[in-house]
Amino acid sequence: MAKTDLFESPDYYFLDELLTDEHKLVRAAVRDFVKKEVSPIIEDYAQRAEFPKHLLKGLGEIGAFGPTIPAQYGGGGMDYIAYGLIMQEVERGDSGIRSTASVQGSLVMYPIYAYGNEAQRNKYLPKLATGEMMGCFGLTEPNHGSNPSGMTTHYKDAGDHVILNGAKMWISNSPFADIAVVWAKNEEGKIKGLIVERGMEGFTTPETHNKWSLRASATGELVFDNVKVPKENILPNVEGLKGPLGCLNQARYGIAWGAVGAAMDCYDTALRYSKERIQFDRPIGGFQLQQKKLAEMITEITKAQLMNWRLGVLKSEDRATAAQISMAKRNSVETAINCAREARQMLGGMGITGEYPIMRHMMNLESVVTYEGTHDIHLLITGMDVTGFNAFK
Ligand code: TGC
Ligand code: FAD
């Protein structure tokens, strides 16, 4: 049954005063889209473990694909606060839908824009911006997750094309993507990015089933069995791990905002419930233990909102460091998971049902805390940044 979305956005420190009119307009359009198109249907799609493909066109229309890519390539040409707000609002609806937008904008459009040539930009970016063409990003392999530098997917020169072999796993959007930005080693062992197109012989994308998390997002593998990739599909302007990691900076930034959106939804749901649910002849919001949960949630959400806003300013000025982005991604996801767990308890038995969004957010966030660098990896990045000692090697 379609659900009515009663969300009211928490803004305890009047952060709206820091936003421009344009930021507020962008946010309003996305919030409206989520209330009308995502919230009413997302629970059913998640229960059925199905990605709501019909949302792609609308996501393109609200500017969720490539908000910071210049308008001449079909992107939104917006700043990073606008990008963050879009991700916040989309993930308020569902982390899986935000995943699709993150992958498309930050992990497919960004590398084509930043590392591609003009022909590649013109061929792919406008269609990716509207959602007419969808992409995915292949970095992780069965034996190389946190340590992508060990990847074994590789290609060999064969004249006007290369021959690609290997496999990627845990790839968001892979089952329906038209193209994949794939990171693979050349004959010198250097990591390069290639655009692999659906239909190329030897390229398959089996879907991954039985997920308890991100059920409304399609995840799969990328398998390359002697795939002939034209040389014109190799991204010319980057080499080495800094290529994919540069894309991850963009996506991790979006997740920092997105996860706070999920936290805001959990808080808002629990706050409303606490005022309506009567036990011992009074609303449960009147009990100190429930107030403690709500007070701690809004405190942590407000801290994360402030961190995101400041990071957005630094990012728009091109001053945000990768380590600052890691800190925000890690902090926001932790905040969101803790809010989801507390909010779930506040709803008692109702908290485990699909009548409310909390359990879905909670399960989704178990992926969000793992992908784009695990909680541990981001902690070690902060540790390395502050001490100067590398704990990875
Ligand atoms: P390391 O030796 O430190 O660095 C290798 C080269 O990369 C440069 N670099 C960066 N460049 C840009 N941005 C960053 N964040 C960078 N971090 C490092 C570095 O300067 C060096 O450049 P150069 O020129 O000297 O070669 O690399 P390492 O092998 O020790 O690994 C470091 C580590 C562990 C931090 C990194 O590999 C890592 O972040 N691992 C986590 C892997 C990860 O996040 N995977 C994500 C896969 S994609 C995904 O999950 C999508 S989910 C999408 C969704 O559905 O929303
Ligand atoms: P591992 O690297 O095997 O880690 C296992 C555990 O060991 C973790 O707790 C980790 O923190 C810990 N660990 C590892 N190294 C260290 C260390 N040095 N010190 C301390 N602890 C350590 N990847 C893509 O390329 N594209 C995608 O679109 C994509 N989408 C995804 C969607 C979903 C739903 C999921 C779940 C994953 C997705 N991923 C994607 C993969 C994701 O990025 C990886 O799962 C993640 O990087 C972790 O790799 P791993 O699962 O192999 O875990």
Side-chain angles (χ1 to χ4, degrees), residues 35-284:
K35 281 200 173 201
K36 285 191 185 134
E37 306 294 337
V38 179
S39 302
I41 55 105
I42 195 64
E43 186 64 35
D44 285 349
Y45 276 84
Q47 294 278 358
R48 293 203 303 271
E50 185 183 335
F51 174 68
K53 262 185 108 172
H54 68 277
L55 295 179
L56 293 175
K57 187 165 177 280
L59 285 165
E61 282 166 3
I62 57 167
F65 298 151
T68 61
I69 300 290
Q72 75 180 101
Y73 300 110
M78 291 182 241
D79 69 10
Y80 278 88
I81 299 282
Y83 167 38
L85 287 166
I86 293 172
M87 294 298 121
Q88 175 187 288
E89 295 302 316
V90 173
E91 190 150 0
R92 210 275 300 167
D94 189 77
S95 302
I97 308 301
R98 197 269 309 134
S99 273
T100 290
S102 289
V103 169
Q104 182 86 341
S106 297
L107 300 181
V108 178
M109 294 176 70
Y110 175 79
I112 293 173
Y113 170 66
Y115 313 140
N117 57 33
E118 206 52 24
Q120 292 166 338
R121 290 172 174 179
N122 288 321
K123 179 174 176 190
Y124 298 106
L125 292 178
K127 285 185 184 163
L128 290 163
T130 59
E132 180 188 343
M133 177 184 275
M134 292 301 297
C136 65
F137 175 88
L139 180 64
T140 306
E141 299 187 351
N143 294 321
H144 299 95
S146 296
N147 61 335
S149 64
M151 69 173 67
T152 58
T153 298
H154 62 281
Y155 65 85
K156 283 193 173 136
D157 198 309
D160 62 348
H161 60 272
V162 297
I163 302 286
L164 178 66
N165 278 290
K168 302 285 177 180
M169 78 180 293
W170 296 118
I171 307 304
S172 301
N173 298 356
S174 95
F176 61 83
D178 304 291
I179 61 168
V181 170
V182 177
W183 299 94
K185 286 182 177 163
N186 65 15
E187 283 162 280
E188 295 162 22
K190 303 259 170 64
I191 296 172
K192 295 286 292 178
L194 298 88
I195 304 168
V196 180
E197 300 183 9
R198 185 173 295 284
M200 287 181 175
E201 209 180 323
F203 173 41
T204 49
T205 59
E207 184 157 1
T208 303
H209 296 289
N210 290 331
K211 293 180 299 168
W212 282 117
S213 176
L214 287 193
R215 288 174 62 81
S217 164
T219 315
E221 298 168 47
L222 303 174
V223 182
F224 315 105
D225 180 8
N226 286 317
V227 183
K228 273 185 179 182
V229 182
K231 279 190 178 160
E232 67 200 31
N233 283 28
I234 298 176
L235 299 174
N237 299 327
V238 81
E239 189 172 274
L241 197 59
K242 63 176 178 291
L245 290 177
C247 308
L248 294 180
N249 291 338
Q250 299 294 110
R252 290 167 177 172
Y253 170 79
I255 293 175
W257 283 80
V260 172
M264 285 158 62
D265 202 40
C266 292
Y267 167 79
D268 177 64
T269 305
L271 178 62
R272 190 171 311 106
Y273 192 85
S274 77
K275 293 175 183 172
E276 291 166 358
R277 176 69 176 167
I278 309 292
Q279 289 293 284
F280 298 96
D281 303 320
R282 55 199 277 213
I284 60 167

Side-chain angles (χ1 to χ4, degrees), residues 283-294:
I284 60 167
F287 296 123
Q288 289 182 6
L289 285 176
Q290 305 310 315
Q291 289 184 4
K292 176 173 187 286
K293 292 188 203 303
L294 289 165

